[in-house]
Amino acid sequence: MAKAKPTACDNRTARLRDLHERMVLIRRVETRLGELFAEDEIPGFIHLSIGQEATATGIGAALGTDDTISSTHRGHGHALAKGMDLGGFFLELFGKADGICAGRGGSMHVADFDIGMLGANGIVGAGLPIALGSALAHQVKGRKSLSAAFFGDGAMGEGVLHECLNLASIWSLPVLFVCENNGWGEFSPSDKMLATTPLKLAAAFDVPAKSVDGNDVEAVADLAGTLSDAIRAGKGPHLLECKTTRVLGHFAGDPQKYRDPAEIEALAKKDPILRAERKLRRAGISAGDLAATSERIDNAVEAAIMQARNGANADFASAAAAVYAGGA
Amino acid sequence: MAEMRFMQAINRALGDAMEADADVVLLGEDIAAPGGPFGVTRGLLDRFGESRVRDTPISEATIVGASVGAALSGLKPVVEIMFMDFMTVAMDAVVNQAAKAHFMFGSQRPVPMVIRTPHGGGLNAGPQHSQCLEAWFAHVPGLKVVCPSTAADAYGLMRAAIEDPNPVVFVENKSLYPIKEDFPDEPSHVAIGAATIARKGGDLTIVTYGAARKTATDAADILADDGVSAEILDLRGIQPWDEAAVLASLAKTHRLVVLHEAVEAFGAGAEIAARIADIGFDELDAPIVRVGAPFMPSPFGRGLEAEYIPNAERVVAAARRVLE
């Protein structure tokens, strides 16, 4: 007997399962990073995106390998959503020789150019011109690709955002500006720091913009898909504001004394992963199924951590020889 | 051998590089339709079209940052920053992004880009349009810095800079733009970091670069009248700089003056003097003397600026000190 043709509803559930799985992966990776950082196994500064997984995942779902992204200091989710290899990722976070950046960059500089991930960035707003330049390369070389620039609401105060909206607009560049609006710029609430909104700012530069519930992964993926299609069709840059939630502090270990504990507590209701799970359960996915997904991801993450722990340390001479390309 | 202006040599290098490689694109404020504030890019828009020769808004931070993104995505951008003073506005893109991308991303991609920018006085352009800030960039690992003094070197260094896989800050002394010089029929590339002997001599070495080469030559003429033979070494490259060539000249002369138009304190000359005092100590018969601008902003007034920029008399005085 021939198999029943999958219905649109089945396809949607299958897609949500993929999106959910990617979010669980990001959550698990970052939860473990927080622990490893607290235990001093991972050095440096770590900025976690727990609570924001749906934006990275939803945008990532709309992009292909030939599309490029630039990311922020809170970039683990973007990297993983773009398809960064878990092994190379953890090796990098541990500062090991076989890390994706040879142990020279760390959390704030994960990059994988083979999949179009042009780097997390330690400077607020600095990824925006890089994504813009990548879009320029797509345009000049006649590629059908687009370039997505992730930035937080904190970057709204940076001049380069304004410059990039302007330049992308006048050159009609294939850029998707993605504002992850979590309401906080480091330790300060954005409503006290910013006199405008992402949508108003985009409008000032004639860049079409939409806002979405950034914790609804399906909504993000749908709208990112629509805007990406428009960009690929030559309609120039677009902006997508994803309203999301930063559950933890600016950096791992931040006690968040500047925040009302009740506000943080209320974020649990908006958790993007729990929301996706409720939808999946309603669509008939069993709790056991979801638990199995979670376990599979846990195992993959633990294997990557073990590999990273046992990896060789980055070698100083190799780093010293890499200051210039071509060794000169 | 025909004559060519310094600025025309750069224009020709840009055009030849664009003919040779479709990935080379030009970005900058007023470089396309207006042909550049000094006319360096004149005619290139007509030859290569608006996709590859682009006028940008006045957004230095973004056009340099975009050049980094473009370089990481397959282009070879040459971006003009209209005055070196304006590099301050683009410092994040230059220092944190361009200089570090190859290193901090684990050598995944090179960053083949050139930032062209004019420095220097002589136009009474005042404190914000005259500065020589090359030492800042030479201090940043990952950047290369060059500063030609002749039309042929400007051509050769520009071709090399565009083909280099690293970000190169290409410093053009704006007082040189109109100078006409002999130009070879078949100009060649100049290796970045290779000095050239601008004048042979045996009694002392004057190490310099950029427009100060002319000042060194004037000083050497004055010294020659007194029977002193000065060797002039034109570094051409500041990062990297040609340590071996300086040592080789010092082995002949045993006396060293370092001259540049930039402020003397903490300038490129300080690095050269410190390094040679270390590795060339046995060759030195006298202290190394630096000649640079005084520790003050570039002043505007004619008399003020003329006194500010190091002149031949100051170089002669420095030479006499090392010859004592």
Side-chain angles (χ1 to χ4, degrees):
Chain A
M1 194 174 97
K3 277 188 183 169
K5 202 176 164 194
T7 64
C9 186
D10 292 335
N11 285 340
R12 219 170 152 75
T13 302
R15 185 185 70 152
L16 181 56
R17 286 200 71 168
D18 286 346
L19 294 170
H20 167 260
E21 183 165 338
R22 185 63 53 166
M23 291 197 292
V24 171
L25 171 72
I26 296 168
R27 174 71 57 88
R28 185 66 194 160
V29 165
E30 289 205 309
T31 303
R32 291 293 286 125
L33 283 178
E35 291 165 3
L36 293 163
F37 178 76
E39 291 156 11
D40 204 25
E41 267 209 84
I42 287 182
F45 294 159
I46 304 268
H47 305 85
L48 300 174
S49 66
I50 286 174
Q52 303 184 180
E53 295 87 349
T55 61
T57 301
I59 302 293
L63 304 177
T65 304
D66 294 339
D67 297 318
T68 44
I69 64 167
S70 70
S71 173
T72 70
H73 56 288
R74 206 175 301 289
H76 306 142
H78 309 147
L80 295 169
K82 194 71 173 67
M84 186 177 285
D85 169 66
L86 207 52
F89 174 86
F90 269 108
L91 281 157
E92 184 59 31
L93 272 281
F94 275 79
K96 298 301 176 78
D98 293 331
I100 191 85
C101 300
R104 296 182 212 134
S107 164
M108 276 191 281
H109 305 291
V110 286
D112 184 350
F113 289 79
D114 288 342
I115 57 163
M117 173 15 174
L118 307 183
N121 209 303
I123 309 294
V124 170
L128 287 151
I130 291 174
L132 186 98
S134 187
L136 174 65
H138 296 330
Q139 189 185 70
V140 170
K141 291 172 89 74
R143 301 178 190 134
K144 289 286 168 207
S145 311
L146 67 85
S147 180
F150 284 96
F151 63 101
D153 42 315
M156 292 268 296
E158 292 280 7
V160 286
L161 171 60
H162 305 225
E163 295 180 9
C164 284
L165 286 166
N166 180 56
L167 195 48
S169 184
I170 61 168
W171 286 354
S172 195
L173 291 173
V175 183
L176 178 61
F177 291 92
V178 181
C179 179
E180 289 181 292
N181 189 350
N182 63 24
W184 289 91
E186 300 183 1
F187 313 120
S188 297
S190 293
D191 56 6
K192 287 199 173 150
M193 294 294 139
L194 302 169
T196 188
T197 66
L199 297 197
K200 285 185 192 165
L201 193 62
F205 294 102
D206 209 15
V207 172
K210 297 272 184 199
S211 189
V212 69
D213 176 348
N215 285 16
D216 179 345
V217 72
E218 287 187 296
V220 175
D222 287 345
L223 205 42
T226 303
L227 300 189
S228 297
D229 288 346
I231 295 167
R232 283 184 224 282
K235 292 186 176 160
H238 286 64
L239 182 145
L240 181 58
E241 177 194 28
C242 302
K243 289 185 172 160
T244 185
T245 51
R246 193 187 86 192
V247 175
L248 300 179
H250 169 52
F251 59 92
D254 173 6
Q256 301 201 81
K257 288 185 177 159
Y258 48 87
R259 250 173 126 174
D260 178 357
E263 182 225 331
I264 301 173
E265 214 166 296
L267 299 180
K269 285 198 201 94
K270 299 179 179 172
D271 188 295
I273 294 176
L274 295 180
R275 283 174 64 179
E277 286 178 356
R278 281 197 291 273
K279 276 195 201 172
L280 286 170
R281 295 283 283 118
R282 281 202 296 274
I285 306 299
S286 72
D289 246 8
L290 294 176
T293 298
S294 183
E295 192 182 338
R296 187 155 38 80
I297 287 169
D298 283 3
N299 291 340
V301 169
E302 292 313 311
I305 292 170
M306 193 54 75
Q307 182 197 13
R309 220 174 242 150
N310 295 332
N313 284 322
D315 155 63
F316 191 85
S318 305
V323 176
Y324 292 95
Chain B
M1 192 174 279
E3 283 206 320
M4 191 177 279
R5 290 187 200 279
F6 187 83
M7 52 177 275
Q8 289 167 328
I10 298 169
N11 181 284
R12 179 159 164 195
L14 294 170
D16 287 357
M18 294 183 80
E19 291 280 2
D21 187 345
D23 289 336
V24 178
V25 298
L26 307 186
L27 306 173
E29 295 157 11
D30 308 317
I31 63 147
F38 296 99
V40 175
T41 47
R42 199 170 289 153
L44 296 174
L45 171 64
D46 289 342
R47 279 175 68 193
F48 299 102
E50 59 186 15
S51 177
R52 293 177 67 196
V53 183
R54 293 188 180 228
D55 280 322
T56 70
I58 303 169
S59 304
E60 290 84 3
T62 285
I63 62 177
V64 179
S67 297
V68 178
L72 291 170
S73 301
L75 294 181
K76 291 176 185 157
V78 180
V79 58
E80 175 176 311
I81 295 297
M82 192 182 280
F83 289 86
M84 192 170 209
D85 315 71
F86 306 170
M87 291 287 281
T88 53
V89 186
M91 282 306 253
D92 170 63
V94 181
V95 175
N96 293 320
Q97 314 301 331
K100 293 173 177 57
H102 175 263
F103 177 87
M104 78 181 170
F105 297 143
S107 311
Q108 289 185 56
R109 288 288 186 281
V111 190
M113 61 181 279
V114 177
I115 306 173
R116 290 183 42 239
T117 191
H119 79 169
L123 277 65
N124 300 98
Q128 296 176 345
H129 287 70
S130 308
Q131 295 172 85
C132 298
L133 301 173
E134 55 274 11
W136 289 1
F137 301 97
H139 187 65
V140 178
L143 299 177
K144 293 188 178 182
V145 184
V146 299
C147 185
S149 64
T150 69
D153 284 351
Y155 178 92
L157 281 171
M158 180 57 80
R159 294 299 306 272
I162 291 171
E163 288 173 18
D164 198 282
N166 298 285
V168 179
V169 179
F170 191 98
V171 186
E172 303 165 7
N173 190 296
K174 52 189 172 286
S175 72
L176 296 176
Y177 281 141
I179 308 277
K180 256 188 185 171
E181 286 174 314
D182 286 343
F183 192 82
D185 296 328
E186 289 183 20
S188 53
H189 289 42
V190 171
I192 292 175
T196 185
I197 296 172
R199 177 179 180 134
K200 280 199 187 309
D203 296 329
L204 80 149
T205 301
I206 303 171
V207 169
T208 191
Y209 59 84
R213 170 171 165 170
K214 172 73 168 61
T215 313
T217 303
D218 292 346
D221 286 343
I222 297 168
L223 290 165
D225 290 343
D226 288 348
V228 174
S229 141
E231 176 147 298
I232 300 172
L233 194 65
D234 181 354
L235 283 181
R236 305 191 288 194
I238 300 164
Q239 181 59 266
W241 61 279
D242 197 339
E243 221 171 69
V246 178
L247 282 174
S249 181
L250 192 65
K252 270 197 308 185
T253 66
H254 308 290
R255 292 158 205 280
L256 181 60
V257 169
V258 187
L259 163 68
H260 50 57
E261 186 179 328
V263 168
E264 183 180 310
F266 295 86
E271 171 66 15
I272 293 164
R275 185 77 184 136
I276 296 302
D278 179 355
I279 59 173
F281 188 74
D282 291 343
E283 295 290 353
L284 283 166
D285 287 347
I288 301 165
V289 175
R290 289 175 291 152
V291 180
F295 194 61
M296 64 185 270
S298 311
F300 157 68
R302 282 215 171 89
L304 287 174
E305 192 189 54
E307 201 168 330
Y308 174 83
I309 297 174
N311 58 21
E313 287 69 35
R314 287 190 54 207
V315 181
V316 169
R320 301 226 188 278
R321 278 187 62 202
V322 301
L323 289 163
E324 269 170 17

